[in-house]
Amino acid sequence: MVLSKAVSESSSDLSVHSTFASRYVRASLPRYRMPENSIPKEAAYQIINDELMLDGNPRLNLASFVTTWMEPECDKLIMAAINKNYVDMDEYPVTTELQNRCVNMIAHLFNAPLGESETAVGVGTVGSSEAIMLAGLAFKRRWQNKRKAEGKPFDKPNIVTGANVQVCWEKFARYFEVELREVKLRDGYYVMDPEQAVEMVDENTICVAAILGSTLNGEFEDVKLLNDLLDAKNAQTGWETPIHVDAASGGFIAPFLYPELEWDFRLPWVKSINVSGHKYGLVYAGIGWCIWRNKEDLPDELIFHINYLGADQPTFTLNFSKGSSQVIAQYYQLIRHGFEGYRNIMENCHENAMVLKEGLERTGRFDIVSKDHGVPLVAFSLKDRSRHDEFEISDMLRRFGWIVPAYTMPPDAEHVTVLRVVIREEFSRTLAERLVLDIEKVMCQLDALTSKLPPPPLLPTTAMLARKKSELETQRSVTEAWKKFVLAKKTNGVC
Amino acid sequence: MVVSVAATGPGTDAEPVRSTFFASRYVRDELPRYRMPERSIPREAAYQIINDELMLDGNPRLNLASFVTTWMEPECDKLIMDSINKNYVDMDEYPVTTELQNRCVNMIAHLFNAPIQEDETAIGVGTVGSSEAIMLAGLAFKRKWQNKRKEQGKPCDKPNIVTGANVQVCWEKFARYFEVELKEVKLSEGYYVMDPEKAIEMVDENTICVAAILGSTLTGEFEDVKKLNDLLVEKNKETGWDVPIHVDAASGGFIAPFLYPELEWDFRLPLVKSINVSGHKYGLVYAGVGWVIWRSKEDLPEELIFHINYLGTDQPTFTLNFSKGSSQIIAQYYQLIRLGFEGYKSIMENCMENTSILREGLAATDRFEIVSKNSGVPLVAFSLKDSSAFTVFDISENLRRFGWIVPAYTMPPNAEHVAVLRVVVREDFSRSLAERLVSDIVKVLHELDARAAHAVKVASVAVAQSDDGVVAGKSVMEIQREIATRWRKAVDKKKTGPC
């Protein structure tokens, strides 16, 4: 290797000196251009490691559904597979087989109607975004083929969803040229209303997308009601509009906590489902799954056939080369925990969510916006927003180390702001109790502070108008600007 | 955590993990393959079971089929493991990681001579690989072209893209998924890249861009982007169509700037509007990171960008994937500052030297034609001078027994009769490994020669025996030939190899 060459040619300031005194940490590293010279690996490690200390702590990031802890045995498997390029199916047949097993296990979990010897139709992806794009592509192509066969125009496809959809649906719509028809929310009803959704369906609708586990408040949409209403409409119109269930969060919760809830392939119009392996699938960021009901729901022309080991391996993904670690980690979790393990973990999460919710209710300062039933999270808003708002609470909690995001609801409920805490596997009961304590501290501190919000407006007199802007008015305009700025936030950030 | 509950709960076997794993019940029982098991198992057993099965995967470092990096320094492995639980997309929560991506984008943009001012930031993004990068670049071209056509009041329903038949499969995916027609310039024997003149002929008013490859997958050759640029400038002047170029520098993007700095292939050419490069190939990072850089803001239509508000500033994003790991981005930054320009240059020079050693060793056997060129991506593609007794596919199979994974491919149309073996030389393919590979190939040749000679003997005996029969049976040679032809046909349908 050439590394030794690089080091000995540069000055005698070798890594034998203490790293922190070395020239590389004193000299400023170029930010926007590649440096000319190499530096020792220890220095490179130290520099990057030190900067990264200023990132948030992933485990205290209560904004995210995405897994932030796995068992050390799994970490070991992950590191051992870090240099395996997943797409090299010829070279890594076992890893490919593990993906196929995961697809089948998840398909059965979702009650896909498969015969004993039939293999499931599905694929591992980098996340639910890719999964949703693939599912959407399949619907679009199926619909186009059907319209062509009928001799009808197929240039204006649309998709019906709730306004609470995660941003990847907007991406899908924009990138694949499909119109997004959003069912607006309303105060107190923060998911897609199945009746309004079915009204919006027309002959150009490629599918209706329901969410199992809304990002904002964790609620499960009523997929069964949607199915029944759509069934009636399809019988009338003959349009055969299908359903896709975005079970990014809910897919690994409902089968364990609510097994009688019919939301999956038990409903005949559900043709594909996506789930994030990296949410309640309990794997680190970087893995999702998309399952189709059966072969007919995935047009063959979208599938690329790769010949490996003499057998046909059909693939349908947007990404090609990617790491194998997360697929192996998903398989680890599925066999390590099994059905009982996942159920225990979800029950535990649910209990901790209740502990947090009750703690918050006891303070008497908050309204709980999330339901008890659904994804284990607690979304809450202030009962009294006249002096302080949720964004301030979020800011102050950061000082304790907690990252708790505050969001405004999508249209038509933009006046509602919530704080949201997601309960993941490793958010224990002690942490829940500590969080409640810290929120109480924050409330005390805020109470003691003067209000940053403007008092009721006074009628201006000529004298007042002539004066320069008072301090209060300056504060007011700053707050207004900040509020507008934050309301313009295009996305709720995490998925 | 509930783990302890699962292990000690009533009904579960008290088989403690103190016993040796290999005698434990979990390894004796068959694990369900296609349904989730009902029960949990101890973590050590889960680890062992999976670890054992994975032993039967190929060894990534002996996988000579792939350009993708299979070794990084332990310090970098440490950084990777530390950030394995960071979801890259949480920009609010991990601002430093986001900043590292921005720095990488800028460094790579400068490497490609993007025309940006001192205080201007580059336009680009980190992706999961070149596939995503190419789809984003293609989307940008498609949208720009559509907007232009709408303004001109012309139809915009039949976009096409012109490339060589040697393109990697992700271009075919892009074309199929985003409904763009793929116009491929056919290859010819001896000329395995896109011919710029033929490409220009195929350009029409519906062409959204012409894609050139810097580092063809099959032979490692660099296409003549400068010539393409010059011819396209001419055609654009004539027609007024303004057709741009995209350079797929998946492999070449981290080679050309270090080994061939005077080669003009990047933003120095005015019609090049976007470039993609795989961080996980010669960017020297593990699988899972790619980069796409646009020339300037105008080349990326604003309507495709989603604006996320973080830390009070606007972070524009344009990716297909959302949540993903942060490790590879951090690893890319590590490599860029750890190696710097001189380090990358040294490594690429080393790769080229090892490639020469391999090439000379193979040429010295006098059994092979070297199909790859001396300049370009460090790889050696070679075919058999005489394929009558056995083919390159036989060699590939036999090399597996020694542990080497060396793939054999047939060329795309119109050179399908040419079959090659291809060895990619990565950073960790040392000189000693190159010499060992040559000696193992020689051993394989001897084995195959001996088998073929034996087969001829058997065939001549068989033929002699059937002289008095009514119908002469097929000789073993003919049977072998038939099998080889059938196999070749089957592989012809192979849509892709590794990228």
Side-chain angles (χ1 to χ4, degrees), chain B residues 299-321:
Chain B
D299 298 297
L300 182 49
E302 184 64 28
E303 66 231 53
L304 292 174
I305 303 177
F306 280 81
H307 289 268
I308 300 187
N309 182 304
Y310 93 109
L311 300 183
T313 49
D314 175 54
Q315 173 77 17
T317 85
F318 176 39
T319 55
L320 298 178
N321 297 296

Side-chain angles (χ1 to χ4, degrees), chain A residues 38-39 55 95 174 301 336, chain B residues 41 57 97 176 303 338:
Chain A
S38 312
I39 59 178
D55 264 348
T95 305
R174 213 183 281 187
E301 67 229 51
R336 154 68 173 124
Chain B
I41 59 177
D57 264 348
T97 304
R176 214 183 281 187
E303 66 231 53
R338 154 61 174 137

Side-chain angles (χ1 to χ4, degrees), chain B residues 259-467:
Chain B
L259 291 185
Y260 314 108
E262 343 65 38
L263 179 72
E264 281 181 43
W265 64 274
D266 53 15
F267 293 118
R268 283 169 285 178
L269 302 170
L271 287 180
V272 172
K273 303 299 184 188
S274 51
I275 299 175
N276 69 281
V277 66
S278 284
H280 55 225
K281 291 182 187 136
Y282 291 93
L284 306 175
V285 181
Y286 294 127
V289 65
W291 303 95
V292 58
I293 314 283
W294 282 273
R295 187 186 196 86
S296 65
K297 281 207 301 289
E298 285 71 49
D299 298 297
L300 182 49
E302 184 64 28
E303 66 231 53
L304 292 174
I305 303 177
F306 280 81
H307 289 268
I308 300 187
N309 182 304
Y310 93 109
L311 300 183
T313 49
D314 175 54
Q315 173 77 17
T317 85
F318 176 39
T319 55
L320 298 178
N321 297 296
F322 195 65
S323 288
K324 61 186 184 189
S326 310
S327 297
Q328 284 88 348
I329 306 255
I330 292 171
Q332 178 76 83
Y333 183 71
Y334 173 93
Q335 293 289 52
L336 289 171
I337 67 165
R338 154 61 174 137
L339 297 168
F341 202 93
E342 87 175 317
Y344 269 94
K345 182 153 175 268
S346 294
I347 289 174
M348 298 310 151
E349 282 170 354
N350 202 23
C351 288
M352 290 309 265
E353 276 170 37
N354 293 334
T355 308
S356 298
I357 300 212
L358 180 61
R359 192 175 47 238
E360 282 154 21
L362 291 169
T365 65
D366 205 29
R367 306 289 296 268
F368 299 108
E369 299 277 1
I370 307 294
V371 173
S372 49
K373 306 270 189 292
N374 289 358
S375 77
V377 175
L379 61 79
V380 184
F382 51 104
S383 57
L384 272 170
K385 285 186 177 175
D386 173 11
S387 294
S388 52
F390 52 82
T391 64
V392 290
F393 298 99
D394 298 316
I395 298 182
S396 172
E397 258 179 66
N398 280 280
L399 273 173
R400 285 244 188 183
R401 280 170 25 215
F402 290 80
W404 301 106
I405 300 172
V406 179
Y409 304 107
T410 46
M411 290 298 200
N414 290 327
E416 305 97 316
H417 54 284
V418 182
V420 300
L421 286 152
R422 184 191 78 183
V423 173
V424 176
V425 176
R426 296 190 296 272
E427 176 190 1
D428 53 345
F429 186 75
S430 61
R431 184 181 182 126
S432 34
L433 285 178
E435 289 166 351
R436 181 169 271 278
L437 176 60
V438 172
S439 71
D440 285 349
I441 287 178
V442 167
K443 282 191 201 132
V444 165
L445 286 172
H446 286 157
E447 281 178 21
L448 288 171
D449 282 338
R451 226 186 282 165
H454 179 75
V456 169
K457 242 192 271 173
V458 169
S460 37
V461 169
V463 168
Q465 279 182 344
S466 68
D467 258 352

Side-chain angles (χ1 to χ4, degrees), chain A residues 31 35 99 121 181 190 276 282 333 426 450:
Chain A
R31 273 153 204 268
Q99 189 224 216
V121 182
R181 293 189 170 178
Y190 302 122
S276 284
L282 306 175
Q333 293 290 54
E426 78 264 26
T450 48

